[in-house]
Amino acid sequence: MTSILEERRHATTGHGGVVARLSYVLPDGTTPVSYAYPPPDGQPWESARFEDVPMHIADARRAAGLPSLHECGFALFDAPSAVRDFKDPAELRARYEPELVELALAATQGRAAWVFDHLVRKRDPAQPTLSFGRTVRGSAPTANGRVHNDYTEASGQRRLRLVLADESLARAVARYCIVNVWRPLAHPVLDAPLAVCDARSVTPGDAVVGEVRYPRRRGEIYLYRHAARHRWYYYPGMRPHETLVFKQYDSAEGVARYTPHAAFELPDIPPGTPPRQSIEARILVVMEWRQP
C-alpha cells in the first residue's frame, strides 16, 4: 500500500495533480456557527471542529472527459475582462457585471441573469489557509479553506426572492441556478488555489447545515463531512484572463446542484510566491420561465 507521503511525492512530481489537506467539518449534532465579523462576548470565530484530511486533487487541465457544468458542477472559461480596477465599485457595476451576465448565460445556457454579489479576497500569508478566512478584526476576507458550499436548499430558495424583488417575476421562474464566477487578479495563482469537488461524487448526507453570522443578517451554508469517494480538481496556475464557473445551487433535480469547494495549500510553491488575490461573483440565472 502506498503511504500518504509516497503518494504526495508521486502526485506533486507527476502530472496527475497533488495530495493536499482539505478542511472537513466534524459534526457534533449542533449547528456550526461562523462569524464574518468579530464575534461578541468572547464567542469563537467558528464553533465547529474540523479535520484536515489529505486528499488527491487532480489537475483538471489534464483530466480527460470532464463533463459539463450541469453534470460535474464546474467548468473553466477563457474570459478576459476590460475592467482596470477590480476594487472600484463603480467600474464593477459598469463594466464587470455586464461581462458576468454574458459569461453566466453562455456557461449555463440560461435565459436571464442578475449579478447580486461580488467579493475581492487577498490571501493573508499570516493566516492559515485551512480556516474560514475571517479571523482578524477589520481585515479583508482572505482565502476560505473550509470545505463548503455557499447555499443550502433553504437559502438557495430564499435567494430567488431576494434578487427578484418583483413577486410576479419571481413566480414566473420555472427553474434557476446560482453560479459563482471566480477569477484570479494580478498574477497566476500558485498560492492557495481553489479546489472544487465533482458534484457526482457527493451525496446529500455529506452536507451539514451551517450558519454564517454577519453584522445585520444571518446566512446558511453547507459544510461537508469527509468521504473518501469525493473527487477533487483544481486548475493549476490560473491567470486573470481565466474564470472558474461553478454551481452554488440549482432548483432542478438530476443535475449538479451544489459544488463543495475550498482553498488549499499547494505543496512546494517557490519562495517569494505572491499571495493569491481573487474576485468572486455570484449570479442568479433563470434557466426556464413558466409557460404563460
Side-chain angles (χ1 to χ4, degrees):
M1 181 177 294
T2 303
S3 71
I4 288 295
L5 181 58
E6 289 168 340
E7 185 180 1
R8 171 173 167 172
R9 286 199 193 103
H10 173 75
T12 56
T13 57
H15 61 266
V18 299
V19 171
R21 294 184 179 275
L22 293 174
S23 186
Y24 285 95
V25 72
L26 287 170
D28 63 3
T30 65
T31 299
V33 174
S34 302
Y35 282 89
Y37 67 99
D41 303 324
Q43 295 294 312
W45 284 88
E46 299 176 278
S47 67
R49 293 190 305 121
F50 295 84
E51 59 175 341
D52 299 340
V53 183
M55 297 291 288
H56 181 256
I57 306 174
D59 181 345
R61 296 188 191 274
R62 298 172 180 257
L66 274 178
S68 71
L69 173 73
H70 291 303
E71 293 177 271
C72 68
F74 62 91
L76 185 72
F77 292 86
D78 185 62
S81 175
V83 175
R84 295 186 297 268
D85 183 1
F86 281 94
K87 295 181 181 179
D88 181 352
E91 187 172 11
L92 290 179
R93 286 191 298 271
R95 290 190 176 181
Y96 198 43
E97 291 188 6
E99 293 176 353
L100 289 168
V101 167
E102 181 179 0
L103 175 60
L105 292 177
T108 62
Q109 301 301 301
R111 306 293 183 84
W114 288 264
V115 181
F116 62 87
D117 185 30
H118 34 68
L119 179 67
V120 174
R121 293 184 185 270
K122 183 174 181 180
R123 160 91 149 107
D124 182 353
Q127 297 297 317
T129 299
L130 301 181
S131 72
F132 182 55
R134 311 243 191 171
T135 55
V136 177
R137 183 183 298 270
S139 68
T142 183
N144 185 345
R146 302 304 191 201
V147 176
H148 71 288
N149 186 82
D150 294 0
Y151 292 92
T152 65
E153 184 67 51
S155 61
Q157 291 182 21
R158 284 196 297 269
R159 180 54 62 176
L160 175 65
R161 281 171 169 75
L162 289 174
V163 176
L164 303 184
D166 184 329
E167 182 61 28
S168 62
L169 185 62
R171 285 199 303 268
V173 176
R175 175 193 167 193
Y176 68 98
C177 66
I178 300 170
V179 296
N180 189 317
V181 176
W182 191 91
R183 179 191 298 273
L185 300 177
H187 48 72
V189 175
L190 294 178
D191 171 67
L194 188 68
V196 286
C197 191
D198 189 330
R200 298 168 299 172
S201 69
V202 183
T203 69
D206 299 337
V208 176
V209 174
E211 182 181 301
V212 181
R213 296 183 180 177
Y214 300 91
R216 288 178 291 277
R217 66 181 180 90
R218 295 186 179 187
E220 188 176 277
I221 65 172
Y222 281 140
L223 298 169
Y224 287 86
R225 52 170 59 88
H226 171 254
R229 79 183 105 79
H230 290 167
R231 297 195 301 272
W232 286 92
Y233 294 88
Y234 85 112
Y235 291 90
M238 278 187 63
R239 296 177 179 272
H241 66 84
E242 296 179 308
T243 59
L244 179 58
V245 180
F246 57 97
K247 285 279 195 76
Q248 297 277 262
Y249 176 77
D250 198 311
S251 63
E253 299 287 344
V255 297
R257 304 190 68 213
Y258 312 100
T259 309
H261 55 284
F264 71 98
E265 293 280 8
L266 190 64
D268 304 322
I269 64 172
T273 296
R276 184 252 277 182
Q277 298 182 56
S278 60
I279 183 170
E280 59 199 63
R282 295 173 183 85
I283 303 103
L284 185 142
V285 182
V286 174
M287 301 299 298
E288 298 175 17
W289 296 104
R290 297 190 189 281
Q291 296 298 321

